[in-house]
Amino acid sequence: MSATQTASTSRTVDLGLGLKVTIKEYGDLATAGGSGVLILHGGGGSPTVAGLAAARLGLSSVMVIGNSVGGWIASEMALRDIDGRVKSIVLLNAVGIRPDNATQLVDIRTLPPVAVGKLAFASAAFRPNPATMTDEQRAGMAANQQTLAVYAGPDFLFAPKLRWRLHRVTVPVLAAWGEEDGVATAEYGRAFAASFPNGHYQPIADAGHFPHIEQPGAVLAAIGDFVTNVVKPDGD
C-alpha cells in the first residue's frame, strides 16, 4: 500500500466544563468530499500515532483507527453511530473488552515505566528510557498515564459489558495485532476480532502494543489489504 506524508494543522476544540481536545488534521479538507480517517491514540499520547496519521491511505469512506484505548473508543463510537458515518474500523492492539483470563490483559498501573516498555515493545530500540528523557517529556508521560487512569475506569482497560454488545457493529473490522504484545496479548486480539460479526484478525510479526511504530509498513499493508478485499472489494 502506498502512502505519502502530508503536512498537518492543529486546532483545539473547547468542549466546555474545562475540557479541551486538540486535533491534528492532515490532507485537504476542501477536496476530501466528506471522506477521511479518524485516528485515536491510546495512553501513550498523540506522538504514538503521529507517523500513521501522516500517511494518506486513499480511502473513500470514513475509517476509524484506534490504538490501545483509542480502539476502545472506536468500538464505542461504532456502537453509537446511528447516522452510519463509520464505514470501517481498524483496531491496533486495542483494549476495551473483558478478557477471558488475567493473562490476556495486563494491568499496568502498578508497573514502573521500564517494565511497561518491556511489555509494550518487541524491540528494545523502541522502548522509552525515562533516564534519557527531558523533564518535559517525563511530565508528558506522567500526564498521559494520569489521563489513562481516569478514562480506563475502575475495571481498567475494559468495560464489563462491551464485548457482548459488539455483535451490533456490522461494519468491517480489522484487528491488526502486534503478536509480541505483553499488555494486550494476541489471544486477546483474536477474541476482540471474534466479538464482531464482520471481524478480521491480522497478526503483525515482530511488534508489540504499538505495531504501527515498530512495523509501520506491515500495518499499512494490512490496512490496504483490508480495504481492497473487505471494505470495498468492488473498487467503489
Side-chain angles (χ1 to χ4, degrees):
M1 180 177 204
S2 61
T4 58
Q5 300 296 307
T6 58
S8 69
T9 58
S10 295
R11 62 188 177 95
T12 299
V13 179
D14 192 336
L15 302 178
L17 301 177
L19 299 175
K20 296 182 179 180
V21 174
T22 299
I23 302 170
K24 286 190 175 182
E25 297 175 327
Y26 297 79
D28 187 352
L29 182 62
T31 60
S35 66
V37 179
L38 173 64
I39 300 179
L40 305 170
H41 64 75
S46 58
T48 62
V49 297
L52 180 62
R56 306 193 73 166
L57 299 174
L59 303 175
S60 61
S61 59
V62 178
M63 169 182 281
V64 181
I65 301 175
N67 168 237
S68 193
V69 174
W72 180 356
I73 296 171
S75 300
E76 296 275 9
M77 286 177 63
L79 275 171
R80 292 162 174 76
D81 183 30
I82 60 175
D83 295 325
R85 295 184 179 183
V86 176
K87 301 301 183 184
S88 58
I89 303 171
V90 175
L91 305 176
L92 303 174
N93 289 72
V95 299
I97 65 169
R98 183 189 292 275
D100 292 319
N101 56 66
T103 66
Q104 290 185 345
L105 188 63
V106 175
D107 187 340
I108 61 174
R109 286 176 292 185
T110 61
L111 300 179
V114 172
V116 175
K118 289 181 179 179
L119 290 174
F121 290 94
S123 171
F126 290 97
R127 295 169 188 163
N129 182 358
T132 63
M133 291 181 177
T134 64
D135 290 342
E136 183 178 6
Q137 288 173 324
R138 281 193 290 269
M141 177 180 288
N144 286 335
Q145 293 308 305
Q146 291 171 355
T147 302
L148 173 62
V150 174
Y151 286 163
D155 291 298
F156 196 69
L157 297 186
F158 72 87
K161 298 181 180 180
L162 177 61
R163 184 172 183 177
W164 319 119
R165 299 201 307 265
L166 293 180
H167 67 91
R168 290 185 249 149
V169 178
T170 58
V171 299
V173 178
L174 170 66
W177 223 265
E179 288 188 293
E180 297 184 41
D181 189 0
V183 178
T185 67
E187 183 182 15
Y188 182 80
R190 292 187 184 93
F192 214 140
S195 301
F196 298 94
N198 196 2
H200 305 262
Y201 180 82
Q202 177 60 53
I204 305 296
D206 301 318
H209 197 60
F210 304 94
H212 52 291
I213 294 178
E214 294 192 90
Q215 300 294 338
V219 169
L220 287 173
I223 296 174
D225 289 343
F226 174 60
V227 171
T228 300
N229 299 316
V230 180
V231 177
K232 49 179 184 179
D234 299 325
D236 297 332

